[in-house]
Amino acid sequence: MMCAVRRFLGPVAGLVALVAVVAARPVAGGASTGVAPGVRTVLGPALVDAPGGIALDAAGDLFVADSGHCRVLELPARAGTSYGLHLRPGHAAIVAGGSCSGAGSIGHPSGVAVDAEGDVYIAEATAQRVQVVRPGGPRGVVTVAGTGHAGFNGDGLAGPASQLDEPTAVAVDGSGDVFIADTANCRVRALPARSVTLFRQTMTAGHLSTVAGTGVCGTAGQGGPVAAAQLWDPVAVVVDGSGDLLVADSGDQSVLLAAAQGGDYYGTAVGAGDIGVVVGGTGSYGPYLADGLSATGATAELNDPRGLAVGPTGALFVTDGVMHAIRVVPATTGTLLGRAMKGGGLYTAAGALPVSSAAGLGDGTRWVLTQLGNPTGIAVSPRGTVYFSDGSLDVVRVIGAP
C-alpha cells in the first residue's frame, strides 16, 4: 500500500483581498477589499505564498509557515523585541528563513507550532527535519529532529540522529513535548522535553519515539491501543488541554484521537491509551450531505483533512482542502459561531455548505461566511477567534474579532 505524497499549492491569480502590513524585514502588502462581513484578511498574496500550518502563542501572536517563500512569519499582537527582531503590532516580521537553500534556510515549511516559552517549531516536509527558533537566543534555526534524509532508522535515537520521511506538521503540548506528523512513515513521533510515559510508552528526553502508527500505512487496529494501530498518511497533529492527541489522517479521510485518560470524545468512546476515529472515517471521497449529522456517521465525509485546532470550549476544527471548507465538531451542545450546534455533530464553519433546494438535498450550495480555495492551517484563540490559511488563494484570514 503506497502512501500519498504531500503537495504544495501554487498561487491563484486574480485575488484582490490584501492587507497593508510592513515587516521588520521588508515585505510588501496592499489595501483590503471585498471580504465578507465577519471575515478579515490579515496576510494577503503580496506577503504569503502557499501558506501552510499556522499557530498562536499565549499573547495572540500569529505564526505562519510561508511555504512558497521558504520562511516563517510572525504577525505580533504587541510590541517588543523577540527572535532578534523589533516587533510592532500588526506588522509582519520574518522569524526564520527567507531563502530556500543554503545556510540558515528552512526549505519549504509545511507546519509550525509554538510552546509556552515562545519557541517556534518548524516542520519541513521537503527537508526531512523539524527545526526550532528560540525567542531569546541568537538568530537562526536549530535542528531538533531529522537528519535531512528521508527514511526511518528506528526509535529511541536522539532527535537530530533520527530519520523522518515527510514531516508535514508539528505540535507542542503544555509540558513542551513535541509531536510530529511523520507522514510518509505513517507514524506520529514524539520528542519529549523530559523522560516520561506518554500513551503507555516510556520515552527518553530529547530522543524520538513513535507514539502512533506501526509503519504500515492503513487503518488496522484503530479503536484499540495506540501502539498497535496503523495510520495512513497523518498530515496534522494537535494536543488538547487534557493531553489528548488528535491526528488528521489524510489516507483514510478521518481525524483520530489518542486518549490520555479515556472518556467520551465528540460522541465517541475512546479508552485511556487507545486511539479511535472521532471525525469521518468512511475511507472514501464523497459528498457532504448536511450539517448536524454524526461526526462519525455514514455521511460524515472529509475529503482531504489538512489542519486541526481545538477551541476554548473543546470544539474541534478541521480544514477540508478538497471540499474547500472548514468543519467543526462541538464537544457539547450549545451555540458556536453564532449557530446552535449539538455535541458530536459535524458542521460547516466556513466554505461550501450543501443545503436543501428544489432539486433535492445536497443539490444546492451556498457559501458560509466566505469562499475558500484550499484551506490548510487553522488556529483558534482563547476567545474563540478562528484563524486559517488558504494555500491556493495565498491568504491568511480571521473569522470574528481578534
Side-chain angles (χ1 to χ4, degrees):
M1 186 176 295
M2 295 185 65
C3 297
V5 176
R6 189 72 173 158
R7 59 190 183 276
F8 293 91
L9 300 168
V12 171
L15 188 72
V16 296
L18 310 177
V19 157
V21 273
V22 181
R25 288 165 62 185
V27 194
S32 177
T33 62
V35 180
V39 179
R40 184 167 59 90
T41 297
V42 294
L43 295 172
L47 287 169
V48 290
D49 180 12
I54 64 176
L56 288 166
D57 68 12
D61 303 320
L62 179 67
F63 297 84
V64 180
D66 186 6
S67 178
H69 291 138
C70 299
R71 64 189 182 182
V72 172
L73 296 180
E74 178 185 6
L75 191 64
R78 77 284 195 225
T81 300
S82 196
Y83 312 104
L85 301 169
H86 296 291
L87 303 172
R88 291 188 292 160
H91 291 70
I94 301 172
V95 170
S99 171
C100 296
S101 62
S105 69
I106 59 170
H108 296 275
S110 47
V112 65
V114 57
D115 68 14
E117 304 300 320
D119 298 333
V120 179
Y121 292 88
I122 306 163
E124 302 171 41
T126 59
Q128 314 300 343
R129 64 190 177 188
V130 173
Q131 300 198 88
V132 66
V133 180
R134 306 192 189 280
R139 289 280 292 164
V141 293
V142 176
T143 298
V144 295
T147 64
H149 300 283
F152 178 77
N153 59 348
D155 285 316
L157 300 175
S162 301
Q163 289 182 319
L164 299 168
D165 196 349
E166 203 179 320
T168 304
V170 63
V172 188
D173 68 13
S175 299
D177 306 315
V178 178
F179 295 83
I180 302 165
D182 193 0
T183 303
N185 277 325
C186 290
R187 301 172 184 261
V188 172
R189 316 286 291 280
L191 187 72
R194 74 283 190 227
S195 296
V196 67
T197 298
L198 292 173
F199 303 102
R200 299 178 180 171
Q201 301 173 63
T202 301
M203 302 182 187
T204 302
H207 291 238
L208 203 64
S209 296
T210 296
V211 173
T214 64
V216 176
C217 302
T219 61
Q222 293 178 1
V226 175
Q230 294 176 351
L231 297 177
W232 193 350
D233 290 351
V235 293
V237 286
V238 69
V239 183
D240 67 18
S242 299
D244 306 307
L245 172 68
L246 292 117
V247 183
D249 204 21
S250 67
D252 192 45
Q253 314 301 334
S254 65
V255 178
L256 297 101
L257 182 143
Q261 302 297 327
D264 183 90
Y265 301 89
Y266 309 106
T268 298
V270 183
D274 290 350
I275 188 168
V277 174
V278 292
V279 188
T282 64
S284 62
Y285 291 90
Y288 181 80
L289 296 179
D291 270 6
L293 303 179
S294 169
T296 54
T299 59
E301 290 286 352
L302 292 177
N303 293 272
D304 195 20
R306 298 186 180 196
L308 298 175
V310 177
T313 63
L316 174 61
F317 292 80
V318 187
T319 59
D320 191 336
V322 168
M323 293 300 288
H324 315 293
I326 297 171
R327 309 293 188 199
V328 60
V329 184
T332 57
T333 298
T335 300
L336 185 66
L337 299 174
R339 299 170 60 193
M341 300 184 186
K342 63 182 180 182
L346 185 61
Y347 295 84
T348 298
L353 172 62
V355 294
S356 294
S357 70
L361 182 66
D363 292 332
T365 299
R366 65 184 175 89
W367 292 97
V368 177
L369 296 179
T370 186
Q371 295 187 10
L372 307 183
N374 293 96
T376 45
I378 189 164
V380 184
S381 78
R383 296 172 56 187
T385 304
V386 179
Y387 294 81
F388 66 93
S389 55
D390 194 315
S392 62
L393 299 184
D394 300 329
V395 295
V396 178
R397 287 174 167 161
V398 58
I399 301 173

